[in-house]
Amino acid sequence: LRKRYPMSKIAWDIAEVGHFEVDLVHHCGEVANGEYIHTLQMLDVATGWSEITAIFGRSYRVVADGFDHLLTRLPFPVIEVHPDNGVEFFNRVVLQYWEKRLPDLKLSRSRPYQKNDNRFVEENNSSLIRAYVGHGRFDTEAQLKILRQLYDKLWLFHNFFQPVMRLQQKEYVTPQQVRRRFDLARPPF
């Protein structure tokens, strides 16, 4: 890993599409032993557009295949990918994948132990993934197939029909009180 990838977070008020927060949701139930299914999610900060797919395990090949699937459906180019510091995202093979697939891509990462650096995708983990599939363990090929079918439907619902309100302005009334103004609720599309 010769290059240095800046630790930061994507600005909440960025207007340009193509800046994606990325996360991996574990579906291991209460026991993280063995291989199990994960959900790979990319969320555009400007629009709320979300791409999700189920993957079995988190090896570099599986993660790269998951990204291939997500990137083929995107209606706009990817400018930046911002995952957490997980080894499933920052290993030699996945970094080489990004260099070959999108050579002009800006790759940044979250600061260690700063969950709020990926705040939009983390919120979607709860409202888009956990709300529909829960916290149970999924570790079979049949479950993987069903999750992928479900995620195809959720992709349509979320991106084309589910309204999202984007924060437009933060105004500090007092040092402890913030007034937030949102735009009109509308789907990411």
Side-chain angles (χ1 to χ4, degrees):
L1 303 175
R2 294 189 180 124
K3 277 184 171 177
R4 304 288 280 159
Y5 299 98
M7 286 190 235
S8 63
K9 60 183 171 182
I10 299 173
W12 63 268
D13 58 351
I14 194 163
E16 182 181 38
V17 297
H19 297 269
F20 285 89
E21 292 182 351
V22 178
D23 201 16
L24 199 64
V25 179
H26 298 247
H27 299 293
C28 60
E30 295 182 15
V31 180
N33 294 345
E35 289 289 324
Y36 51 88
I37 296 170
H38 298 79
T39 297
L40 179 62
Q41 180 178 194
M42 295 177 66
L43 182 97
D44 179 60
V45 173
T47 63
W49 186 276
S50 179
E51 293 290 340
I52 54 177
T53 191
I55 58 175
F56 199 89
R58 55 185 183 157
S59 70
Y60 70 88
R61 185 70 256 161
V62 169
V63 171
D65 286 345
F67 278 124
D68 278 340
H69 175 72
L70 299 180
L71 293 173
T72 58
R73 290 197 307 197
L74 280 173
F76 45 83
V78 177
I79 297 168
E80 177 180 9
V81 171
H82 184 83
D84 57 24
N85 286 301
V87 295
E88 63 274 5
F89 300 122
F90 285 95
N91 64 63
R92 187 172 314 281
V93 180
V94 173
L95 293 173
Q96 288 172 346
Y97 163 84
W98 285 118
E99 288 176 9
K100 289 177 186 172
R101 179 77 195 247
L102 298 168
D104 296 330
L105 178 74
K106 177 183 176 192
L107 188 60
S108 59
R109 60 190 176 139
S110 300
R111 298 168 295 170
Y113 311 108
Q114 299 294 318
K115 202 170 188 101
N116 245 6
D117 282 359
N118 270 0
R119 59 214 173 275
F120 299 110
V121 76
E122 292 289 347
E123 196 283 324
N124 252 26
N125 289 346
S126 176
S127 64
L128 183 62
I129 298 167
R130 295 287 187 205
Y132 292 96
V133 300
H135 295 272
R137 183 177 180 91
F138 302 115
D139 56 7
T140 68
E141 290 291 326
Q143 291 168 330
L144 179 68
K145 185 177 179 182
I146 290 169
L147 274 178
R148 286 181 175 166
Q149 291 171 349
L150 172 65
Y151 288 164
D152 284 343
K153 306 293 187 232
L154 284 176
W155 176 81
L156 288 169
F157 174 68
H158 176 81
N159 290 321
F160 294 96
F161 299 103
Q162 184 65 35
V164 175
M165 288 178 23
R166 305 304 301 167
L167 184 63
Q168 294 296 303
Q169 182 182 12
K170 282 184 186 179
E171 178 184 332
Y172 287 90
V173 179
T174 67
Q176 292 83 23
Q177 185 182 10
V178 178
R179 182 176 294 139
R180 292 175 176 87
R181 297 186 188 187
F182 295 88
D183 66 357
L184 296 174
R186 59 182 179 219
F189 178 72

